[in-house]
Amino acid sequence: MKEHKGYAKLILFGEHFVVYGIPAIGMALKDLYTTCTLHPSDIWEIQGVNQSEVVIPALQSILVKLNLIGPYKAVFNSNIPVSAGLGSGAAICVSFTRALSYHHFLKLTDKRINELAHEGEKFFHGNPSGIDNTLSTFGGVLEFTKGKPFTSLEIEPLPLVIACTGEKGSTKQMVANVKNLKEKNPEKFQEWTKEMEEIIESARIAFEQHNLKTIGKLMDKNQELLYNIGVSTLELELLIEIAKDKGALGAKLTGAGGGGCIVALAKDKESANTIIQAIKQKGFQAFYSEQAL
Ligand code: MEV
């Protein structure tokens, strides 16, 4: 039976601020994805993912939008770490919607798959901007603004290292914490938002010029903002420090924070390997991944 993919995602710039209308830049990851196959069944059966208290309502919300009822036996296969900021929830929703389209001959377009996956995502994250499902559906490197059409960025492959703390972060909680902070300190938050906007503008140019040094510096600046809004952790900071010590041009947490992963930009693939080895020696998971098309 045909498999249906939803990719993991990596936010390079702009997480959290994207919830408030600032553009963000992210990419889908080629080697990390979830597949789903559907089988007729008299009862709901979910295999391969273990957040069933969220997964079933999320999948049901997609079915309702398509006037379908179920139940199904849905078999997922995923190598995306869960609660790690890499979009595992969105990948589940995208792969399930793709599988439904195939199973029922619906011929859903990617645009429709993305809209439906966004509905499902709401069960994972409360109020998602839509960046995760968009990257998971379309792949590539995208500039995304909430509620607007996205732009594809044609960039050369980046030597990136992803390293995971192993701490599970709750996107819902982190987004709520940032909302609280924004309400308590609107002026300061406005200042940081302005800085984030400037980072995105500079990043756009740096990507066009494939200027790795500048991209790295901008990642560091973005990390400062993420630290200021309270979503970094000691372990994330430790991974960033190791990566920088081993020559990373820049490093930041990726996704919602409060745990999860960092992304570090290396000078080249060899330097990326040095960073990966150093992080692994400290007992953390680290890997190299290129963007999905
Ligand atoms: C989560 O991957 C990214 C956040 O910006 C939340 C969202 O955009 O939905 C933290």
Side-chain angles (χ1 to χ4, degrees):
M1 198 168 281
K2 203 168 170 213
E3 287 183 333
H4 304 281
K5 267 187 197 176
Y7 288 108
K9 67 88 181 44
L10 189 72
I11 299 184
L12 291 165
F13 292 105
E15 48 274 271
H16 284 290
F17 294 92
V18 68
V19 173
Y20 300 102
I22 302 302
I25 297 174
M27 62 167 60
L29 297 172
K30 193 171 99 204
D31 305 318
L32 293 185
Y33 52 84
T34 299
T35 61
C36 176
T37 51
L38 289 179
H39 307 266
S41 176
D42 295 333
I43 51 158
W44 268 104
E45 218 185 313
I46 305 283
Q47 287 181 8
V49 288
N50 54 12
Q51 308 139 278
S52 56
E53 70 291 351
V54 196
V55 173
I56 293 179
L59 303 187
Q60 274 169 334
S61 74
I62 295 170
L63 290 178
V64 167
K65 291 274 169 193
L66 288 167
N67 291 323
L68 296 169
I69 301 167
Y72 299 92
K73 176 178 167 187
V75 181
F76 291 94
N77 211 319
S78 183
N79 61 355
I80 309 175
V82 176
S83 304
L86 299 176
S88 63
I92 288 172
C93 295
V94 171
S95 63
F96 176 72
T97 313
R98 286 200 188 287
L100 272 181
S101 179
Y102 176 78
H103 195 83
H104 292 287
F105 308 102
L106 300 176
K107 292 200 165 78
L108 299 176
T109 59
D110 277 355
K111 183 170 179 288
R112 187 72 184 126
I113 285 168
N114 189 35
E115 285 164 4
L116 291 162
H118 191 204
E119 286 305 312
E121 257 281 88
K122 292 178 185 164
F123 287 80
F124 287 89
H125 293 169
N127 179 27
S129 64
I131 187 169
D132 290 14
N133 47 279
T134 302
L135 286 164
S136 184
T137 305
F138 292 95
V141 185
L142 308 178
E143 182 176 322
F144 173 91
T145 308
K146 190 177 173 178
K148 294 199 178 152
F150 63 82
T151 329
S152 289
L153 304 181
E154 296 302 324
I155 70 166
E156 289 178 43
L158 298 170
L160 292 175
V161 172
I162 300 160
C164 303
T165 59
E167 298 172 299
K168 294 207 182 297
S170 158
T171 302
K172 208 169 189 168
Q173 189 58 54
M174 288 299 119
V175 170
N177 290 357
V178 173
K179 183 166 180 266
N180 262 338
L181 179 84
K182 180 178 180 284
E183 279 162 10
K184 282 203 184 114
N185 216 333
E187 275 133 43
K188 198 75 211 161
F189 198 85
Q190 183 53 33
E191 219 175 88
W192 292 330
T193 303
K194 181 98 198 35
E195 279 178 49
M196 190 64 242
E197 234 173 332
E198 287 165 7
I199 291 173
I200 295 286
E201 274 163 31
S202 308
R204 223 177 267 142
I205 300 167
F207 278 126
E208 265 169 34
Q209 299 172 342
H210 196 61
N211 186 336
L212 294 186
K213 259 194 177 160
T214 304
I215 297 171
K217 279 195 188 131
L218 293 167
M219 286 168 75
D220 289 344
K221 274 195 175 172
N222 193 162
Q223 174 58 21
E224 265 175 52
L225 294 179
L226 291 164
Y227 180 87
N228 290 345
I229 63 170
V231 298
S232 198
T233 65
L234 285 175
E235 298 227 313
L236 286 165
E237 295 293 326
L238 172 67
L239 291 183
I240 289 169
E241 197 184 308
I242 303 173
K244 297 291 296 285
D245 269 4
K246 293 292 167 190
L249 298 172
K252 62 182 274 294
L253 69 85
T254 184
C261 299
I262 67 147
V263 52
L265 178 67
K267 288 190 199 82
D268 49 35
K269 203 164 177 179
E270 200 186 320
S271 163
N273 276 331
T274 311
I275 296 168
I276 291 170
Q277 290 320 318
I279 291 176
K280 281 187 170 168
Q281 265 169 24
K282 296 278 177 191
F284 297 98
Q285 193 194 357
F287 53 91
Y288 186 83
S289 185
E290 285 176 3
Q291 71 220 42
L293 294 175

